[in-house]
Amino acid sequence: MSNKASEQTYWLGIDLGGTKILAEVYDQDFNLIGSTKRKTKAELGQEAGIARLLKTAHDALDDAGISKDNLSGVGIGCPGVLNLQTGVLVKAGNIGWYDVAIKKMLEKEFGVPAAVANDVDAGTFGEYMNGAGKGASTVFGIFPGTGIGGALVYQGDIFRGSKWTCMEIGHFQVVPNGAQCGCGRKGCLESVAGRLAIATAASAAVIRGQAPWLSENVGSDPARIKSGALASAVENGDKVIEQIIIDACTALGQALGGVVNLLAPEIMVIGGGLAEAMPALYKKHVEDAMQPKIMDALQGSCKIEIAKLGDHATALGAAAWVRKQETK
Ligand SMILES: [Zn+2]
């Protein structure tokens, strides 16, 4: 590279999550040069939460050995409802924050431009810039967890609604009049293939005596049946658990076949704890269910990849997103 050291730029990316705040400093080549993680502690309230967020961000700069004068921009990926025109976090129910002018606040604190994105949008943008979607022009990201988030990077930009985020694939109805979903509607993809649906079905299998490994090592409490426990149960021969995962992958794949017909992305990135704990199982069964749903003209146009950035995706994506705004 011909860049002189003095031309190096630094970008701060923040992942504001329900349980943790992660702040990471990247250089212009996406090398991670400093980071800090702290629990969100939603129970302390909004004001204390904002102070924790700012402290975490400053600590990441310290860890990187730079001051805010060296910084070119700060990006943040947030949960909840965001007004993307004003950079206001309108409502994040899971952490109890309301009407936080987060863009303005970060710009004042660090004296540099800030950009606000939805957390799934930022995660998908991270995978597009430096992960499983690198080099593609259009990438769809899906992150099955407790909820199922979706996002589209379309020719280098995060695809959004006129004011709000979009691509809420978790709330595609896949079962007419099906199980109750957290959104108040019925039969959404999330109610069939989300972690809660999987953990509930796995719990029933334990109670029925069909999952000996899970029964012996984890028990029947759905709150304890997390991604790692499910992956271990499958590895250790609990066939009924494996089938529950395959059924969830099948529902995901069928919905994603429709996404290919609608948007024709080059790469479909599947991320989140479940897929990252069982990458081979997710890749195979999502693909098997997706292919028959894709119309002939688009067959072979879209590849499935498992996310590569893990917990870094949202912070890296947020840093990359503000950098894109400022270096156009
Ligand atoms: Zn729903």
Side-chain angles (χ1 to χ4, degrees):
M1 298 293 285
S2 61
N3 286 329
K4 287 177 285 191
S6 61
E7 290 168 347
Q8 182 65 272
T9 58
Y10 298 101
W11 307 88
L12 175 62
I14 305 170
D15 176 2
L16 173 61
T19 55
K20 59 139 182 47
I21 302 164
L22 173 65
E24 297 187 325
V25 180
Y26 287 92
D27 69 13
Q28 63 200 14
D29 303 314
F30 295 115
N31 297 304
L32 176 64
I33 58 163
S35 77
T36 302
K37 190 154 83 170
R38 185 170 272 120
K39 286 195 172 130
T40 309
K41 295 207 171 169
E43 69 276 13
L44 298 178
Q46 179 166 317
E47 207 172 307
I50 290 169
R52 292 177 75 77
L53 169 73
L54 295 176
K55 175 150 178 47
T56 307
H58 281 290
D59 289 352
L61 295 184
D62 288 347
D63 188 50
I66 65 168
S67 80
K68 64 182 185 181
D69 300 335
N70 305 115
L71 208 55
S72 295
V74 46
I76 184 166
C78 303
V81 181
L82 298 166
N83 183 326
L84 297 168
Q85 287 173 347
T86 59
V88 171
L89 174 58
V90 178
K91 177 188 169 190
N94 62 336
I95 55 173
W97 290 21
Y98 297 89
D99 292 318
V100 183
I102 208 152
K103 177 176 155 70
K104 210 181 268 178
M105 178 185 86
L106 291 171
E107 287 179 341
K108 190 169 161 224
E109 183 77 16
F110 294 99
V112 291
V116 177
N118 162 273
D119 49 4
V120 180
D121 285 347
T124 301
F125 194 71
E127 292 288 345
Y128 160 79
M129 286 300 292
N130 206 38
K134 195 172 176 179
S137 72
T138 301
V139 174
F140 190 88
I142 182 164
F143 292 76
T146 305
I148 298 182
L152 177 70
V153 175
Y154 181 75
Q155 297 183 346
D157 258 318
I158 295 175
F159 191 92
R160 297 175 297 186
S162 57
K163 189 169 170 188
W164 314 104
T165 181
C166 59
M167 296 292 153
E168 295 285 357
I169 190 169
H171 302 287
F172 264 29
Q173 194 188 45
V174 295
V175 181
N177 212 26
Q180 188 70 43
C181 179
C183 74
R185 290 160 194 85
K186 287 185 170 178
C188 297
L189 182 61
E190 191 168 301
S191 71
V192 175
R195 200 187 66 80
L196 213 52
I198 292 171
T200 307
S203 165
V206 169
I207 291 165
R208 287 192 208 106
Q210 295 171 324
W213 188 91
L214 199 60
S215 175
E216 171 102 21
N217 294 281
V218 181
S220 65
D221 178 0
R224 292 192 57 214
I225 304 178
K226 299 198 162 137
S227 307
L230 290 161
S232 297
V234 171
E235 269 165 36
N236 288 284
D238 280 351
K239 285 287 166 201
V240 170
I241 303 301
E242 184 172 5
Q243 191 58 50
I244 289 167
I245 304 288
I246 291 171
D247 290 347
C249 290
T250 301
L252 285 176
Q254 288 171 344
L256 290 176
V259 170
V260 174
N261 294 338
L262 194 66
L263 302 167
E266 281 171 74
I267 294 186
M268 191 76 81
V269 175
I270 309 177
L274 287 160
E276 286 167 30
M278 295 167 273
L281 204 61
Y282 265 77
K283 189 168 158 68
K284 175 179 177 6
H285 292 283
V286 170
E287 201 148 44
D288 286 355
M290 184 176 90
Q291 290 307 336
K293 299 291 178 189
I294 298 176
M295 57 190 290
D296 292 349
L298 293 171
Q299 279 289 335
S301 66
C302 179
K303 256 185 15 186
I304 287 187
E305 298 285 355
I306 301 297
K308 286 187 180 158
L309 300 177
D311 289 345
H312 301 286
T314 296
L316 187 150
W321 181 238
V322 67
R323 180 183 127 166
K324 181 183 161 63
Q325 311 305 306
E326 298 310 316
T327 51
K328 267 176 187 165

